[in-house]
Amino acid sequence: MGIAERKERDKTERRQSILDAAQHLFIEQGFEKVSMRNIADAIEYSPATIYLYFKDKNELLFALQNQAFGRLAQEFESVFEIEHPAERLSAIGHKYLTFAFAHPELFQLMFVMNGPMEAVKARGEAQPWASGRAAFDRVVRAMQAGIDAGVFRHADAEVAALLVWAQVHGLATIYLSNRAMIFSEERRQTIIEEAMNLFNQVLHHGL
Amino acid sequence: MGIAERKERDKTERRQSILDAAQHLFIEQGFEKVSMRNIADAIEYSPATIYLYFKDKNELLFALQNQAFGRLAQEFESVFEIEHPAERLSAIGHKYLTFAFAHPELFQLMFVMNGPMEAVKARGEAQPWASGRAAFDRVVRAMQAGIDAGVFRHADAEVAALLVWAQVHGLATIYLSNRAMIFSEERRQTIIEEAMNLFNQVLHHGL
DNA sequence: CAAATATACTGAACGGTGTTCAGATTTACC
DNA sequence: GGTAAATCTGAACACCGTTCAGTATATTTG
């Protein structure tokens, strides 16, 4: 069955090359420029060919999203060496925010855009959006550690983790959606950082 | 000059009727269905006619956004009777979240979509996004009152207000962008509320 | 080896989008 | 009534996601 295996491998390789081209377009040109036609041009295929490897654009975006979550997980790696619960949580928040600013397009794909979530819905899995859940679980675990250590009062780690996520997520999306325009350009650069400092204070204070 | 006046009035009336049709489409059918052609159909005009009243779609969305901010301001009205700073702030947060769930399409127009902000940029005004700034100022004033009353420690009211805004905004957008999918359907309904309760605790604790 | 089959790919089309512009129509003025 | 100004539109342009009949290539079978 050597031939069948090679074919399978070739197929996943071509699938991956589509994803690579799409990701490249995403990062290089922004998500508005990521059209099926542009992806097709980049890999010198016909647009119709992409539909042999992905059901539709949402499915492609979903695959791309999963790949991007791999990157974020990588960023989170080092954080789990930190012992102090509040500091570990604030480090996670910091990494989240840094990732959002460093890769705004990927961040939007992961946490803002509708397309990938439509694919998640369409799949109708029992455990939808596993990659998102896995990322969130890291926050929950860090929070639970803090509660167990008596640093945080609130009993429900999931609720507290959601609040922490939402806090940083809110700062990131306010900035990335240009809603920080209400601040002058100089202020805009620093106020997010100041807000994060205040957030860290709140965290260390015990939540 | 009675005629010139009437013409001017007619013009603003037609402009308004375009906005009304667009808003109706927005609320009734969702923002994906708000196309220039659909708006034109609703008011029985040609799509080209809309461009006599709005420079482009972004400019139309911007006008619609301003209108929506009027609604939010209305929601905020009652809040400013509350004396206790922490309670006033948490009431603002509650209204913000309630508005987001009650009018998700308008919320996205105001705080998520890119189009209206592109128009803001294109206008190049000295005080960009005045309606957003006005809404935020209400939060800042409430926060400043809290600082003055010694309830909140942090000196910079703007930074603290941004953090409060981002907290609630994060919860709203996580839910509305379907990222709360990581929770079971029943949990999804209640966990946002629980997170808000925890947030209120933090606020009352003094931030 | 040749024919049949399975695999891979594509051109062209469908209906949708925002936008522009020459031309038609309606209105106001002298 | 005739001219000028204001108002509106049909048709087109270049894009979008998606589908499908048809072509070309590679593999399997007789």
Side-chain angles (χ1 to χ4, degrees), chain A:
Chain A
M1 300 291 167
I3 291 169
E5 270 172 28
R6 182 181 54 85
K7 284 207 146 194
E8 186 108 354
R9 186 160 39 81
D10 283 3
K11 184 137 190 170
T12 64
E13 263 172 27
R14 264 165 309 182
R15 199 187 130 102
Q16 189 56 48
S17 83
I18 294 172
L19 284 180
D20 289 347
Q23 194 188 53
H24 190 259
L25 265 172
F26 238 100
I27 292 171
E28 219 68 21
Q29 315 247 16
F31 65 90
E32 301 144 321
K33 294 289 175 62
V34 181
S35 71
M36 298 305 259
R37 281 174 175 83
N38 284 0
I39 298 169
D41 280 356
I43 54 174
E44 291 175 311
Y45 275 170
S46 154
T49 304
I50 301 176
Y51 288 86
L52 301 175
Y53 298 90
F54 298 94
K55 199 183 125 288
D56 54 24
K57 193 186 182 184
N58 287 342
E59 201 64 43
L60 193 158
L61 292 177
F62 173 70
L64 223 49
Q65 196 202 50
N66 278 337
Q67 212 166 264
F69 265 104
R71 280 211 198 193
L72 183 63
Q74 214 171 308
E75 295 288 334
F76 277 178
E77 271 309 309
S78 65
V79 167
F80 286 83
E81 297 163 5
I82 302 171
E83 286 295 330
H84 192 286
E87 266 169 31
R88 192 196 297 184
L89 270 175
S90 94
I92 290 177
H94 183 77
K95 292 278 183 191
Y96 189 87
L97 209 61
T98 303
F99 185 90
F101 286 128
H103 314 287
E105 308 292 347
L106 293 183
F107 179 82
Q108 301 233 33
L109 179 67
M110 286 190 281
F111 297 113
V112 180
M113 285 176 65
N114 235 321
M117 304 316 280
E118 290 299 318
V120 169
K121 276 188 207 167
R123 284 170 161 244
E125 290 164 341
Q127 305 263 324
W129 207 40
S131 50
R133 179 73 226 188
F136 181 66
D137 275 341
R138 289 170 177 246
V139 186
V140 175
R141 275 201 301 277
M143 179 60 71
Q144 188 62 58
I147 293 172
D148 293 344
V151 179
F152 304 127
R153 273 175 299 282
H154 198 264
D156 194 327
E158 234 185 18
V159 172
L162 173 59
L163 199 69
V164 168
W165 176 25
Q167 179 66 85
V168 185
H169 180 79
L171 284 173
T173 52
I174 283 171
Y175 186 90
L176 291 181
S177 69
N178 289 307
R179 262 60 180 189
M181 236 187 209
I182 55 175
F183 306 113
S184 71
E185 208 184 329
E186 316 93 63
R187 192 86 208 277
R188 213 147 48 210
Q189 306 296 331
T190 59
I191 196 167
I192 301 275
E193 211 170 330
E194 287 179 44
M196 272 299 277
N197 288 341
L198 177 52
F199 170 63
N200 287 337
Q201 272 180 242
V202 174
L203 266 187
H204 276 88
H205 198 267
L207 205 135

Side-chain angles (χ1 to χ4, degrees), chain B residues 18-46:
Chain B
I18 293 173
L19 284 179
D20 290 347
Q23 194 188 51
H24 189 260
L25 265 171
F26 238 100
I27 293 172
E28 220 68 22
Q29 315 247 15
F31 63 92
E32 300 144 322
K33 293 289 175 63
V34 181
S35 72
M36 298 304 258
R37 281 174 175 83
N38 284 30
I39 299 169
D41 282 355
I43 54 174
E44 291 178 310
Y45 274 169
S46 156

Side-chain angles (χ1 to χ4, degrees), chain B residues 31-197:
Chain B
F31 63 92
E32 300 144 322
K33 293 289 175 63
V34 181
S35 72
M36 298 304 258
R37 281 174 175 83
N38 284 30
I39 299 169
D41 282 355
I43 54 174
E44 291 178 310
Y45 274 169
S46 156
T49 304
I50 300 177
Y51 288 86
L52 301 174
Y53 298 91
F54 299 93
K55 199 183 127 290
D56 56 21
K57 193 185 182 184
N58 287 343
E59 200 64 45
L60 193 157
L61 292 177
F62 173 69
L64 222 50
Q65 196 203 49
N66 279 336
Q67 211 166 266
F69 266 104
R71 280 211 197 193
L72 183 63
Q74 213 171 306
E75 296 287 334
F76 277 177
E77 272 310 308
S78 65
V79 168
F80 285 82
E81 297 164 7
I82 302 170
E83 287 295 330
H84 192 287
E87 267 169 31
R88 194 197 295 183
L89 270 176
S90 94
I92 290 177
H94 184 76
K95 292 278 182 190
Y96 189 88
L97 208 62
T98 304
F99 185 90
F101 286 131
H103 314 287
E105 308 291 346
L106 293 182
F107 179 82
Q108 302 232 32
L109 179 66
M110 288 191 280
F111 297 113
V112 180
M113 285 176 64
N114 236 322
M117 304 316 281
E118 290 298 318
V120 168
K121 275 189 208 167
R123 284 171 162 246
E125 290 164 343
Q127 305 264 323
W129 208 37
S131 51
R133 179 74 226 188
F136 182 65
D137 276 341
R138 291 172 174 245
V139 186
V140 175
R141 276 202 301 278
M143 180 59 73
Q144 188 62 57
I147 293 172
D148 293 344
V151 179
F152 302 128
R153 276 175 298 282
H154 197 263
D156 194 328
E158 232 184 18
V159 172
L162 173 59
L163 199 70
V164 169
W165 176 25
Q167 179 66 84
V168 185
H169 180 79
L171 284 173
T173 52
I174 283 172
Y175 186 92
L176 292 180
S177 69
N178 290 306
R179 262 62 181 187
M181 234 185 208
I182 54 174
F183 305 114
S184 72
E185 207 183 329
E186 317 93 62
R187 193 84 208 278
R188 213 148 49 210
Q189 307 295 332
T190 58
I191 196 166
I192 301 276
E193 212 170 330
E194 286 178 46
M196 271 301 275
N197 288 340

